[in-house]
Amino acid sequence: MSGISFMGVGSGLPVNDIIKATLEAEAAPLKRLEHDKKFYESQISGMAQLKSRLSSMGDAMKDLQGLDKFQQLAANSSNDKLFTATADHVAGATAGNYNIEVLAEARSYRHVSGELSTTDPFSGTLTFFEKDGTTPLKDSNDDPITIDTNGKTLDEIRAAINSHEGLQGKVSANLVNTSETHARLVLNADESGEAGRFTANFSDATITKDTDLSSGEFQGLAPVAESDPGYDAYKEDLANNLDARIKIDGIEATSSTNRFENVISGVTIDVTAGASGQSESVGGLEVKRDDTAIKDNIEAFVKAYNDVIIHLNEAKKGSLYGDSTIRSIEGEMRNILYSPTEGEDADDTQKNFLALIGIEVFVDKSYDPKNPSSRNGTLEVDSAALTKALDENFDKVAHILGSSKKLDDTQPSGYAERFSDLATRLVSGGVQDGQSYKGLVQIRTEGLGKEVDRINDKVDSTNLRLELLEARLVKQFSAIDGIVAKFNSTGSFISQQMAGLPGYTK
């Protein structure tokens, strides 16, 4: 109660203490309810953490689905100053060794004018053509690209070129000042290689006279001996060719950029900037199975599984001890773990257990029932056994772990796919036989939430009942206090009257 209370003054009874003691006795169930609420909330927190672990496992396992995740190749260059390379098994790369000779790097075409006035206006039209010199470059409306130079200064011509929508991504212009009144107009192809080559025709006689447009000075390596017929023509063509050029085991290939894709099936070769200036022009390329990347994927598989198992073991030591949901999840994890990936036949299937490729279950031999190890039931990788499995039966390792019915319905579901599906089923449910269903963790979390709501409702109703009880007690004791006060007052009055009677003595 709030305010100043004078209850008990009339009766002399400790009314406030009586009411307080009564309310405390009636409020005793609230402590049990609060205890139960904290317990359920700790279970909800445990379920949330379990959901997070299962979701992480599902995501990790999803990234490991597909045979390609366990069939990775590495492409190694013996000379990174010449080239680097990558290999993709899915794109068709296979193991092999190659000699790569870098003949030339890709360059961008450059059109350079003679010295032109930077102050005098020009006249005429600047027209752009493809590298054949006759086919006009066209804009998005299929119109030939031209620049009207009438009345424009050289800098205004440069700005008009750079702002022309049809030339965006094709040609850019700059000025190189050679004096206070003269400059050279430099047109650069934005796309490298022969694919970016163009020609520009100035109809202005002055510009035409002063402009000797060329691709600049280029250097290249002739692939034939000087004594061979056609050497001079080939050398000239080589010097002016803008494409990157390499030889793969003597077979020449070209690219408009310094990247050569799929020249070797599934392999990408990148010519290093400055490779043409190296004293050595030949390097070795080795494409081989990338055991390091494959083992990293297997470690990711093991870690994703272990994170869930360790959390389950820890949860059993706390508020989720004995929880049926935990036992159900453990059972489903074990069922998958001890079910081999389907093989070609029954005999082959029995060869598809994780233990047969070096992934074993850790068993705590010094088991303490009061404090069991959180690592019990986790997976461990026997590196020697795994290396042997990769060396002797690599396809079997990929099949056991990465085969995916979802990606290829001719394959069974490997361990990664089955654990991913389990995580999804436990966390968010799905659809089965046309009916949607909730995940086990979701159902349990919702059930615990309802228990908390029930307790909150009971606490609210108990507090309301206590408020009403307090009001009733106050009213009742106030009435009693008033009656007793009246009795005391009447008794005092009678005593005073009797005291005035003759012969009265106490």
Side-chain angles (χ1 to χ4, degrees):
M1 290 181 63
S2 60
I4 301 174
S5 174
F6 296 98
M7 287 192 301
V9 174
S11 65
L13 295 173
V15 175
N16 286 334
D17 291 341
I18 294 172
I19 293 176
K20 181 180 179 182
T22 302
L23 293 175
E24 287 178 349
E26 292 293 328
L30 286 175
K31 293 183 179 179
R32 176 174 55 80
L33 291 173
E34 288 297 328
H35 176 272
D36 291 346
K37 180 180 177 180
K38 289 181 180 179
F39 176 72
Y40 287 129
E41 287 177 338
S42 66
Q43 288 190 309
I44 291 174
S45 176
M47 284 295 167
Q49 294 179 45
L50 176 58
K51 178 182 178 180
S52 176
R53 298 294 195 288
L54 287 169
S55 296
S56 295
M57 181 183 78
D59 292 340
M61 295 298 182
K62 192 175 295 183
D63 291 340
L64 299 174
Q65 292 177 35
L67 298 179
D68 57 294
K69 301 300 191 302
F70 297 90
Q71 294 178 331
Q72 298 186 52
L73 295 171
N76 300 313
S77 169
S78 66
N79 190 342
D80 289 346
K81 293 181 178 180
L82 291 177
F83 67 90
T84 58
T86 58
D88 185 355
H89 171 81
V90 177
T94 57
N97 291 282
Y98 310 89
N99 286 321
I100 307 297
E101 181 180 2
V102 177
L103 301 176
E105 299 172 53
R107 295 157 298 171
S108 294
Y109 180 66
R110 179 173 294 174
H111 216 59
V112 183
S113 75
E115 288 192 350
L116 301 171
S117 170
T118 57
T119 57
D120 297 335
F122 294 88
S123 62
T125 303
L126 171 59
T127 305
F128 289 88
F129 296 89
E130 295 183 8
K131 65 179 180 179
D132 61 10
T134 58
T135 305
L137 283 179
K138 295 183 178 181
D139 58 21
S140 58
N141 295 322
D142 204 33
D143 294 325
I145 297 174
T146 60
I147 301 294
D148 182 9
T149 66
N150 285 312
K152 290 184 174 66
T153 64
L154 192 60
D155 188 59
E156 289 173 335
I157 294 173
R158 176 199 62 79
I161 294 172
N162 290 335
S163 62
H164 195 291
E165 183 179 354
L167 293 175
Q168 298 300 307
K170 297 178 181 178
V171 179
S172 59
N174 292 294
L175 293 182
V176 177
N177 294 310
T178 56
S179 69
E180 293 183 358
T181 58
H182 286 76
R184 290 178 182 269
L185 178 64
V186 180
L187 305 180
N188 296 290
D190 292 336
E191 183 180 357
S192 63
E194 287 297 314
R197 189 190 287 272
F198 64 90
T199 60
N201 180 23
F202 291 79
S203 64
D204 185 291
T206 304
I207 297 179
T208 303
K209 179 180 179 181
D210 291 342
T211 305
D212 182 15
L213 301 173
S214 68
S215 57
E217 297 181 359
F218 299 116
Q219 295 179 350
L221 298 174
V224 294
E226 292 186 20
S227 59
D228 290 344
Y231 169 78
D232 291 338
Y234 188 87
K235 184 177 180 181
E236 182 179 357
D237 177 66
L238 178 65
N240 288 293
N241 194 292
L242 302 172
D243 286 340
R245 302 165 64 223
I246 62 174
K247 276 187 176 182
I248 304 170
D249 290 340
I251 302 172
E252 188 170 322
T254 62
S255 172
S256 62
T257 69
N258 283 327
R259 170 163 289 187
F260 292 79
E261 294 183 305
N262 226 34
V263 176
I264 302 172
S265 295
V267 178
T268 298
I269 300 171
D270 290 300
V271 174
T272 306
S276 299
Q278 298 296 317
S279 58
E280 293 289 334
S281 62
V282 180
L285 171 62
E286 180 185 30
V287 180
K288 65 178 183 178
R289 191 178 71 223
D290 191 351
D291 283 351
T292 299
I294 295 169
K295 287 181 178 180
D296 286 344
N297 280 343
I298 293 175
E299 289 290 346
F301 170 89
V302 170
K303 182 181 184 303
Y305 177 89
N306 287 350
D307 283 347
V308 174
I309 294 299
I310 290 173
H311 181 72
L312 290 173
N313 289 337
E314 288 291 330
K316 290 186 294 185
K317 297 178 183 180
S319 60
L320 294 177
Y321 174 78
D323 190 283
S324 61
T325 302
I326 299 298
R327 294 196 301 271
S328 296
I329 293 174
E330 286 182 318
E332 294 208 49
M333 296 281 285
R334 282 195 296 268
N335 285 341
I336 293 177
L337 187 65
Y338 294 115
S339 298
T341 299
E342 184 180 340
E344 296 178 357
D345 51 41
D347 290 338
D348 184 52
T349 297
Q350 294 307 306
K351 300 175 184 177
N352 293 339
F353 285 99
L354 289 177
L356 298 180
I357 59 173
I359 303 176
E360 302 174 345
V361 179
F362 170 78
V363 178
D364 182 17
K365 297 180 180 179
S366 58
Y367 179 69
D368 180 2
K370 294 183 178 180
N371 186 29
S373 172
S374 295
R375 290 185 56 231
N376 200 39
T378 57
L379 299 179
E380 292 184 317
V381 178
D382 183 332
S383 182
L386 176 59
T387 299
K388 182 179 179 181
L390 290 172
D391 290 341
E392 297 180 357
N393 203 344
F394 169 74
D395 290 338
K396 176 68 74 175
V397 176
H399 175 80
I400 290 173
L401 291 170
S403 56
S404 171
K405 192 174 186 65
K406 293 180 180 178
L407 299 177
D408 183 349
D409 58 12
T410 65
Q411 298 176 9
S413 292
Y415 277 98
E417 184 163 277
R418 283 181 282 152
F419 278 122
S420 177
D421 289 345
L422 173 63
T424 300
R425 191 170 70 250
L426 291 173
V427 171
S428 57
V431 178
Q432 186 174 11
D433 298 329
Q435 298 292 325
S436 61
Y437 65 91
K438 293 182 178 180
L440 187 59
V441 175
Q442 182 182 7
I443 292 173
R444 181 58 176 151
T445 301
E446 289 179 355
L448 291 170
K450 289 179 181 179
E451 288 296 324
V452 172
D453 291 340
R454 180 186 62 81
I455 291 174
N456 286 333
D457 291 341
K458 198 163 185 178
V459 169
D460 291 341
S461 64
T462 300
N463 284 328
L464 179 59
R465 183 175 61 81
L466 290 174
E467 289 177 5
L468 295 175
L469 175 60
E470 182 182 18
R472 188 172 68 252
L473 290 174
V474 169
K475 184 177 181 180
Q476 290 173 342
F477 276 103
S478 294
I480 292 172
D481 198 39
I483 293 172
V484 173
K486 288 182 180 181
F487 283 153
N488 289 337
S489 177
T490 302
S492 296
F493 175 76
I494 293 171
S495 294
Q496 291 175 1
Q497 295 299 317
M498 290 182 69
L501 295 175
Y504 174 77
T505 58
K506 289 184 179 182

